Amino acid sequence: MSRVLAFDFGASSDRAILGTYEKGELSYQEVHRFENNPRDKDGHFRWDFEELMANVRLGAQKAGTVDSLAFDTWGVDFGLLDAEGRLLEDPVHYRDQRTAGLVEEAFKSLPAGELYRATGTQILNINSLYQLLALRQQEPQLWEKVHRLLFMPDLFAWALCGAQACETTVASTSQLLDPCSRSWSQQVLSAFHIPQELFAPLVKSGTVVGEYQGAKVIAAAGHDTQCAVAALPIPGKDAAFLSCGTWSLLGCELDQPVLTDQSRELGLSNEIGANGKVNYLKNIIGLWLIQESRRQWRREGQEYSYADLERLALEAQPLRSFIDPDAPEFAPPGDIPDRVRDFCRRTGQPIPETVGQVMRCIYESLALKYRFALGQLTLATGKSFSTLHVLGGGTKDGLLCRMTAACTGIPVIAGPVEATALGNILIQLKALGRLGSIAQGRELIARTEKVTRYEPQDHASWEASYQVYQDMLHHTNF
């Protein structure tokens, strides 16, 4: 029997999941759940690292004796250590506004086409590269003290066992890694005068990096999307995936990165998967729109459960008005419902006034953006997709899954719900020698985990709306 502990960090809620593997069977249970509460501190929006680490240690205590543990988190963010190995400050949140305007400024040192060919990463102002440029430009005194950068999953591992390592999947979100050589891009480091010594040694997913209270500390796929994709139940050759949580990442597995100008213009990204393949994907703002809308209504004194919001959306008129989820105004925290109304007003659409109308607009816009992203993947790869596998928390949202199937016209296979934690567990079991490969782990997931299949219904009614949606995206230049 092997007992492994997966720490799965999301942007708002985090869990410690204990996996037990015995006689070819896998079981798992949540042993600790805790909130992730970023806050404004010292002029920036930050993660509360001390509070998160207190919960990590509590989760490990609740789990008891385990053979190993590993972390997966969101991408791009990092912590900074000084020469004595001390954390200099709480890590800055990717939604902080310090990188505003830096993408265009960076192009003066390395044009967009060259930057994309060097890294294959969708050019977004949240990427680690621009966060680093902001740090050096805006806080030179702090920059002088920095000795080592650790991405978030590696930072948690360091805090437990002192290891300084950089796991490849999370590094591939940074806009600093060469996806062909799987090493730091010398072109990018040189263009922006970033010393390579800033980064810990790169390690592959599934590397044992240290020990904590007798348990091996393993660098799993540090980026949670890659953990989720690792638990994809035996995908067919024409399958796409949608890792659906606070962010939606829609993509497919490829053997080689796509580094063309077309790929860059389509906003597609090449990330390294736990199995060594390239996860070619589109970053789309996802359930954040629903989560932050709910928080806004709570701030206004109106409390709605997610079930309430889904019910109100169902009661609203369908296919009435749409947003681009990736319009820049939807990224920061705040009054998302008012921004939805303003977007519709500016684009000449009916303005959603009620809670149900706002929610219907968000749900339908997400489904339409997923279809749009599938079309972009097809354009860039020449692949046609016959199924869409939805992984993670979004699998519990039946309305979104049904809308996505109806809008795309292909079946949606939803599950497993705990894909990210399961992928983390599978990678640990492989590192411990209990599984031979990620493919074997996927076979285990396909055999034991429940999935729900949604067939396309009423696809024709979405066709006219999709044409309207495409025109809207074209005219708003998002």
Side-chain angles (χ1 to χ4, degrees), residues 420-454:
T420 307
L422 285 169
N424 186 320
I425 288 168
L426 296 180
I427 293 165
Q428 292 188 63
L429 291 173
K430 180 177 179 293
L432 295 174
R434 298 304 308 277
L435 292 175
S437 64
I438 296 298
Q440 185 182 346
R442 285 175 165 177
E443 291 172 0
L444 175 64
I445 296 300
R447 178 167 54 83
T448 59
E449 288 298 306
K450 178 185 176 182
V451 298
T452 303
R453 185 181 179 96
Y454 296 88

Side-chain angles (χ1 to χ4, degrees), residues 339-392:
R339 295 173 197 169
V340 168
R341 288 187 286 268
D342 183 62
F343 185 100
C344 293
R345 185 182 299 111
R346 287 188 290 109
T347 51
Q349 302 179 83
I351 299 170
E353 299 291 353
T354 68
V355 170
Q357 287 172 345
V358 170
M359 289 303 303
R360 186 93 191 195
C361 176
I362 290 173
Y363 269 112
E364 291 176 345
S365 298
L366 286 172
L368 287 160
K369 195 62 184 282
Y370 297 156
R371 177 174 173 180
F372 184 76
L374 276 174
Q376 291 182 311
L377 283 175
T378 294
L379 194 62
T381 65
K383 293 167 64 78
S384 295
F385 300 101
S386 59
T387 54
L388 178 63
H389 287 264
V390 178
L391 306 164

Side-chain angles (χ1 to χ4, degrees), residues 216-260:
K216 291 180 172 64
V217 178
I218 295 173
H223 190 206
D224 51 11
T225 298
Q226 311 314 331
C227 274
V229 175
L232 189 62
I234 314 182
K237 65 177 182 177
D238 298 323
F241 62 78
L242 172 61
S243 179
C244 188
T246 299
W247 284 86
S248 291
L249 297 105
L250 191 150
C252 62
E253 288 188 319
L254 299 176
D255 293 325
Q256 299 294 330
V258 181
L259 304 175
T260 62

